[in-house]
Amino acid sequence: MIEPPAAEPLRARPGTPGADLGVGLFVVAIGLLTLYAAWAIPDSPIYAQVGATAVPILVGAALVLLGIALCVSASRGGWSGGLEEEMAAPPTNWRALGLLGAGLAVQLALIDWLGFVIAATIQYVLVCAAFGSRKPLRDLAIGIVVTLGAFLGFSRLLGVNIGAGVLEGIL
Amino acid sequence: METFANLAAGFGNALTPINLAWALLGCFLGTAIGVLPGIGPALTIALLLPVTFKVEATGAFILFCGVFYGAMYGGSTTSILLNTPGESGSIITALEGAKMARNGRAGPALVTAAVGSFVAGTVGTLGISFVGPLVVEVALKLGPAEYFSLMMLCFVTVSAVLGGSALRGLTSLGFGLMLGLVGIDLQTGQPRLTFGVPELLDGVNVVLVAVALFAVGETMYLAWRHVEGGQVVRPIGKLWMSASDWRRSIGPWIRGSFLGFPFGVLPAGGTEMPTMLSYYAERKLVRPEHREEFGTTGAIEGVAGPEAANNAAAAGILVPMLTLGLPTSATAAIMLSAFQSYGIQPGPMLFTQQAALVWTLIASLYIANVMLVVLNLPLVGLWARILKIPTPQLYAGILVFATIGTYGISNSVIDLVLLYGIGIIAMFMRRFDFPTAPVVIGMILGPMAEQNLRQALTISQGDWSTFLTRPISLFILVLAALALLGPRLWGVWRARRAG
């Protein structure tokens, strides 16, 4: 259940317009990246009314304009400070985000080298810890069962190739 | 009345014990596999293709139809419970369904999806039997110009009815359009927006993006806002639908079914457009007292409508496949290849040359539909128990399954980088209140709209007025303009009358 909001009026967090400006600039950057990539598409010798570059240029330009509009909105005080959900939200949990990020990084670094089962088990333990689990050994046991079950189910029963790895080679 | 005689003969064939067993096996396999994230009906049927070497044609197609319908039923389950859709047709179901599950209404969401699938499956199968051939005639008259206008209508509906802000909705749409551009250009064969990465030549997978936006992004956002020690086990709540749930679902089921079927029949229809249109239609049509539930606690209309549209469209896809030999989805393409491996060529002559097979197949669709609703309703309680898993283990499991679903299809770390990267962007989108649905819509419809635009302009030799001079295209564009301006004009008119 969601608690009813406190009696005193919620105030926008200071510094939110700056974060909103960052969002606007990020959208402009994506638009510019799209335009750059569109510009890099070579001209096609095939005759066409609308070539391969027209729509990418259109989308890139639209993103730049939308990003600028977001920046303008941010400079007028921003929008995310007024969101009910954000005003009631707890502060950033760096520990949880860090452990989750580590879980993702481990998966990316190890999956081609040690295989899905080992990489995903380590990821499982790290993500459990990120969400406040205090029993890493129990998580390790559950993680091994879950990833092994998923691997065997996908690769043996369905024939989907989950790649090669240390454990996968033995099984 | 020839149809009834044919159908009766079809039921006669389909109701033999061996064919019933094939249907049951197909329904079971389809549901079980449809529940897995990242694996849809196309892959399942492809894996079962080798049975065509050992089983006679009727049995094999009854099996495939069971898998096809079963995967449609199962696909909504992970969308609702884990926010991880397995195929593009159930992406929209995740929008409201996952919110309902989070607020202790997983049971009613699963039931309305199952019963909605049954209603839609029945409407769709009736459609295949009676009006399919007629709809195909109309569908053949639509050209690229009409399809382009239809997609513009979709874009406009999305940006016009978006909840929060049109600016943020359009930004999300633009991001989706950009993702859709990645890969080889279909008309000139040039790589676009691939940045020299060979894995990107095939484009970005839509299901990957949906899983990244919904499952990975949501998990990251929850970690961002995680409060230590604040363990909450999510409530399961009542499993069955209340009388009010039934009243609220019936309209969306029927509207969704009748919206979905014609789209499935259109050669460029698919299941994505009708599910989106159904979602936004229900969001507009919902009674004022329930409007608040959309996007917050989850509205049952937003599950019932799109899920019905998805299943009716999926049934509709069989019409062009059987009558024109034209597959319009990956699943239909694989079923077509199964027909060919028996030396049968689907097309206008199929209904006369292979009448017994076709009508047995249609009869078995009715049977599969009944079997599935009987099979799925008792499972609701079992599925809903997934929510009892404590938060750490549940979200760790969701990430592992999101990873295996992505990596298992391509075996490429690049896809995992995309999955996690888009997940990070989705986390910030959640934080700054950008809607995620338009990203998926832009990604699916963007490339289709571009192809149709370029084809229409090639046919008209560069004359842009082709979109306005073709009557059906003009009609759709007028409809789009009305959707964009209508509510605003209506508001002005009402304000004036009140003043």
Side-chain angles (χ1 to χ4, degrees):
Chain A
M1 288 303 289
I2 299 159
E3 287 292 309
E8 61 172 326
L10 294 158
R11 255 158 298 169
R13 289 221 176 93
T16 326
D20 289 355
L21 187 66
V23 172
L25 290 175
F26 181 73
V27 173
V28 171
I30 289 188
L32 289 176
L33 188 70
T34 310
L35 283 178
Y36 165 76
W39 171 75
I41 301 170
D43 263 330
S44 168
I46 301 169
Y47 168 78
Q49 292 296 338
V50 178
T53 54
V55 174
I57 288 174
L58 210 68
V59 172
L63 277 170
V64 170
L65 288 178
L66 287 165
I68 293 171
L70 286 169
C71 288
V72 170
S73 168
S75 71
R76 290 181 183 158
W79 65 91
S80 70
L83 300 174
E84 251 172 67
E85 197 188 23
E86 286 308 317
M87 283 190 265
T92 305
N93 188 335
W94 289 111
R95 186 187 153 275
L97 271 183
L99 281 168
L100 186 70
L104 301 185
V106 161
Q107 181 75 273
L108 292 179
L110 297 185
I111 195 163
D112 272 352
W113 177 40
L114 291 177
F116 169 79
V117 175
I118 293 176
T121 304
I122 300 173
Q123 185 184 37
Y124 188 91
V125 174
L126 285 170
V127 178
C128 282
F131 282 99
S133 170
R134 297 259 179 269
K135 292 174 181 151
L137 283 178
R138 191 193 60 177
D139 293 336
L140 185 69
I142 300 173
I144 289 174
V145 172
V146 168
T147 52
L148 259 185
F151 169 74
L152 290 176
F154 273 76
S155 70
R156 290 294 131 82
L157 296 177
L158 300 176
V160 178
N161 182 12
I162 309 287
V166 177
L167 273 178
E168 286 81 352
I170 300 167
L171 285 166
Chain B
M1 289 309 98
E2 201 192 334
T3 308
F4 285 105
N6 285 330
L7 202 54
F11 270 105
N13 287 335
L15 285 171
T16 59
I18 181 78
N19 283 344
L20 277 178
W22 282 121
L24 187 66
L25 179 67
C27 290
F28 178 75
L29 281 178
T31 313
I33 291 169
V35 165
L36 295 176
I39 295 207
L43 186 55
T44 314
I45 296 180
L47 294 170
L48 290 172
L49 267 186
V51 305
T52 55
F53 298 124
K54 301 185 187 100
V55 181
E56 44 99 26
T58 320
F61 283 107
I62 289 175
L63 177 73
F64 290 159
C65 288
V67 170
F68 185 50
Y69 271 28
M72 293 291 153
Y73 271 72
S76 57
T77 308
T78 40
S79 286
I80 291 169
L81 293 177
L82 305 180
N83 217 355
T84 50
E87 30 101 28
S88 54
S90 53
I91 288 173
I92 301 292
T93 310
L95 289 180
E96 293 301 310
K99 292 194 177 72
M100 282 182 75
R102 203 179 304 134
N103 289 285
R105 311 226 319 121
L110 289 170
V111 174
T112 200
V115 180
S117 300
F118 173 73
V119 172
T122 309
V123 169
T125 315
L126 284 170
I128 297 174
S129 331
F130 295 100
V131 294
L134 302 174
V135 184
V136 167
E137 261 175 57
V138 176
L140 284 178
K141 292 205 174 74
L142 300 184
E146 282 76 22
Y147 282 113
F148 177 74
S149 303
L150 207 55
M151 284 147 198
M152 287 302 113
L153 175 65
C154 271
F155 288 152
V156 164
T157 345
V158 169
S159 56
V161 289
L162 279 178
S165 119
L167 180 58
R168 272 169 271 151
L170 284 171
T171 308
S172 294
L173 184 71
F175 180 52
L177 290 173
M178 180 222 156
L179 287 176
L181 286 171
V182 175
I184 298 261
D185 174 35
L186 288 178
Q187 286 204 339
T188 58
Q190 292 165 315
R192 300 195 296 182
L193 273 68
T194 56
F195 303 100
V197 181
E199 281 87 350
L200 290 180
L201 288 176
D202 286 338
V204 183
N205 186 324
V206 181
V207 174
L208 180 156
V209 172
V211 171
L213 286 173
F214 298 152
V216 180
E218 178 75 13
T219 306
M220 287 183 181
Y221 182 80
L222 287 175
W224 184 347
R225 297 298 186 205
H226 181 68
V227 182
E228 302 295 335
Q231 280 308 348
V232 195
V233 174
R234 296 194 285 175
I236 287 183
K238 280 209 303 214
L239 286 181
W240 197 248
M241 289 179 15
S242 67
S244 132
D245 288 336
W246 283 95
R247 253 198 322 278
R248 291 173 61 188
S249 294
I250 288 173
W253 287 337
I254 293 169
R255 279 192 291 274
S257 305
F258 283 95
L259 189 67
F261 182 72
F263 269 95
V265 174
L266 293 179
T271 56
E272 295 91 357
M273 260 198 283
T275 50
M276 290 164 202
L277 287 179
S278 165
Y279 175 74
Y280 286 110
E282 295 310 331
R283 201 170 160 160
K284 277 273 148 196
L285 291 169
V286 67
R287 289 213 204 101
E289 66 260 35
H290 299 305
R291 185 154 294 158
E292 279 296 296
E293 292 174 24
F294 267 95
T296 51
T297 57
I300 197 163
E301 290 89 351
V303 179
E307 199 45 35
N310 178 21
N311 280 56
I317 284 171
L318 291 177
V319 172
M321 200 269 282
L322 291 172
T323 57
L324 300 174
L326 189 67
T328 57
S329 75
T331 317
I334 291 163
M335 284 179 79
L336 190 73
S337 75
F339 270 106
Q340 284 162 346
S341 77
Y342 282 109
I344 301 167
Q345 183 57 51
M349 300 305 287
L350 185 73
F351 276 73
T352 46
Q353 285 175 352
Q354 296 282 344
L357 173 67
V358 169
W359 288 102
T360 308
L361 198 140
I362 291 173
S364 70
L365 286 175
Y366 287 101
I367 295 168
N369 208 24
V370 175
M371 274 182 181
L372 279 166
V373 78
V374 173
L375 202 68
N376 271 273
L377 286 179
L379 286 177
V380 165
L382 183 71
W383 294 133
R385 216 159 287 174
I386 291 180
L387 296 177
K388 273 280 179 224
I389 301 170
T391 319
Q393 281 76 25
L394 179 65
Y395 284 104
I398 288 177
L399 266 190
V400 166
F401 272 98
T403 303
I404 199 174
T406 305
Y407 189 75
I409 289 164
S410 63
N411 276 320
S412 135
V413 180
I414 299 285
D415 274 1
L416 284 186
V417 172
L418 276 174
L419 179 76
Y420 297 156
I422 295 171
I424 292 172
I425 291 178
M427 174 181 78
F428 283 106
M429 287 175 69
R430 173 82 196 273
R431 162 68 181 82
F432 290 98
D433 196 34
F434 283 80
T436 43
V439 179
V440 181
I441 293 167
M443 220 190 133
I444 294 170
L445 293 188
M448 287 159 73
E450 187 193 0
Q451 290 309 313
N452 282 301
L453 170 75
R454 289 160 72 178
Q455 283 168 7
L457 286 174
T458 306
I459 292 167
S460 75
Q461 298 183 323
D463 181 5
W464 286 80
S465 70
T466 178
F467 297 106
L468 299 176
T469 50
R470 293 174 67 104
I472 302 176
S473 169
L474 178 68
F475 172 72
I476 301 170
L477 284 178
V478 168
L479 216 60
L482 278 178
L484 187 65
L485 301 170
R488 274 150 230 214
L489 293 176
W490 171 247
V492 169
W493 184 72
R494 273 195 21 185
R496 208 170 272 180
R497 242 183 77 152

